[in-house]
Amino acid sequence: MSVIFITRKVPVSQLQCVTFENKRILRGMTMESLFLLLTAWTAILCYFAWVVYGRRFSGAIQKINLKPGSDTSQAEIFSCLLSGNIALIEKDNFNQLASSLSSEKIQQVLFRYWQIDGPESFSVGFQQAFFQLGDTHAIEREAFSAWNTGFACNTATYIRLFDVCKFLSVNAALIEPGRIGARQLNMTAWDIQRLAYLVRLGHAAHYMSRDAALQSLRRLSVAARAHYASWEDFSISALIGMGVRSEVDVLQASVWHGFAQTHVALTAVDGAPFAQVAWTPGVQAPKQVPRQTHVARTNPLGDARAPVVTGL
């Protein structure tokens, strides 16, 4: 008994079309699967980073929490807290003039932030920082104005501003986008944070006397109270300033989650240091104007993070 197979000829071109179509479908399925996998993995990493950084900063707060009955005056504690965010990022204390870092670490931080490697360069860097306190570059003023008026501009500085504001409001949920306005959009808080920490480290490195350091910190306290209405405004503004002058890289979201956690640790946890020292505004702080909705924009820099903006 024999079996006869009946076959039908199919044109080669049709077979090729089927093959190409199958490959296209498989390729689409593969790309979609990879995208979903990458998204899930990124979410997991961000969650664990948030937990790890949260525990790290909470632990740091508990180790150097303010102690009632300390001989240090409230005014001195206030002035030292002006370096709170950046000091906490460096795992340093923040409620006293002294630094808890080792001498070697202090020298490393001084060089990393200000390229200071000795008494002479400290003197130059300190004077320059005080002279430039609150200075805003023209391109930064343009970006801040664009945010406040709702008319986005196509500059790298504006994109950095947009990214950090989006991160702090959407990803970290520290402030609503509509509440980011004139009080937060300036470089003064970031400059004050850096200069207050420079003074503390300079004193710790014996580049500055205690009296000179406290006098400098008092001047910074006056400047801070003149520009901001609360610790929350000051801390958020400092983080925005840091983001404007150092790009918020979406591939380093865990690092920025850590930066955001400094705000939470200093303001939002039980017994937060900022809450224990009242902020008494000095000169009338800038009036907060409601932010307008951003109009659509194109992005000439090829940044795929926000090609078109209609608000956050």
Side-chain angles (χ1 to χ4, degrees):
M1 180 179 178
S2 60
V3 179
I4 301 175
F5 292 95
I6 302 176
T7 60
R8 180 172 62 91
K9 285 188 176 181
V10 179
V12 175
S13 59
Q14 186 175 342
L15 285 175
Q16 289 176 340
C17 289
V18 172
T19 302
F20 292 152
E21 180 67 16
N22 289 340
K23 286 183 178 180
R24 188 186 65 80
I25 294 173
L26 288 174
R27 189 181 299 112
M29 292 176 61
T30 303
M31 292 301 295
E32 184 179 358
S33 301
L34 286 174
F35 176 76
L36 292 175
L37 204 61
L38 182 60
T39 303
W41 180 245
T42 303
I44 292 172
L45 286 178
C46 288
Y47 171 77
F48 279 107
W50 184 261
V51 172
V52 169
Y53 275 100
R55 289 179 178 174
R56 165 186 158 186
F57 290 117
S58 297
I61 289 287
Q62 292 172 1
K63 290 179 182 178
I64 51 182
N65 199 10
L66 295 175
K67 297 180 180 179
S70 172
D71 294 335
T72 306
S73 68
Q74 288 286 298
E76 184 176 332
I77 293 174
F78 180 95
S79 63
C80 292
L81 282 174
L82 292 176
S83 64
N85 298 83
I86 189 171
L88 196 51
I89 289 172
E90 294 299 327
K91 302 181 186 178
D92 198 354
N93 62 36
F94 45 80
N95 57 356
Q96 53 194 284
L97 183 59
S99 170
S100 62
L101 302 181
S102 65
S103 298
E104 182 181 0
K105 178 67 173 178
I106 288 173
Q107 296 297 333
Q108 291 175 357
V109 175
L110 283 171
F111 188 79
R112 183 167 72 250
Y113 284 110
W114 299 278
Q115 290 74 54
I116 290 173
D117 55 5
E120 294 79 12
S121 56
F122 173 81
S123 179
V124 173
F126 172 75
Q127 295 295 335
Q128 184 178 17
F130 244 117
F131 181 74
Q132 296 177 343
L133 180 65
D135 282 359
T136 306
H137 304 147
I139 197 167
E140 293 169 344
R141 290 195 297 272
E142 180 187 21
F144 293 147
S145 176
W147 178 276
N148 284 325
T149 59
F151 291 94
C153 57
N154 295 313
T155 65
T157 301
Y158 178 81
I159 290 174
R160 289 197 298 270
L161 172 64
F162 177 88
D163 284 346
V164 70
C165 289
K166 179 180 179 182
F167 184 88
L168 295 177
S169 59
V170 177
N171 300 73
L174 298 184
I175 184 172
E176 295 177 2
R179 290 185 53 221
I180 300 176
R183 280 204 299 265
Q184 297 86 12
L185 295 180
N186 53 75
M187 301 306 304
T188 304
W190 178 232
D191 285 349
I192 290 175
Q193 286 249 359
R194 284 170 53 87
L195 190 49
Y197 198 44
L198 174 61
V199 168
R200 293 184 54 219
L201 294 183
H203 171 66
H206 307 292
Y207 297 154
M208 176 179 278
S209 68
R210 176 180 175 83
D211 289 342
L214 291 177
Q215 182 180 5
S216 298
L217 290 174
R218 283 194 291 269
R219 290 174 61 188
L220 292 176
S221 298
V222 173
R225 286 188 166 110
H227 282 84
Y228 303 97
S230 65
W231 281 114
E232 288 74 14
D233 282 344
F234 176 75
S235 178
I236 289 291
S237 181
L239 292 175
I240 290 175
M242 180 167 60
V244 168
R245 291 190 176 169
S246 58
E247 183 176 358
V248 183
D249 190 345
V250 293
L251 298 179
Q252 296 180 336
S254 61
V255 175
W256 269 92
H257 272 298
F259 296 162
Q261 273 295 317
T262 64
H263 177 83
V264 176
L266 291 168
T267 62
V269 299
D270 293 336
F274 284 173
Q276 297 184 37
V277 181
W279 185 289
T280 306
V283 180
Q284 183 65 36
K287 185 177 179 181
Q288 193 80 327
V289 179
R291 169 179 167 265
Q292 304 297 318
T293 302
H294 279 211
V295 298
R297 68 176 174 90
T298 57
N299 190 342
L301 302 180
D303 189 338
R305 284 172 290 183
V308 176
V309 179
T310 55
L312 293 181

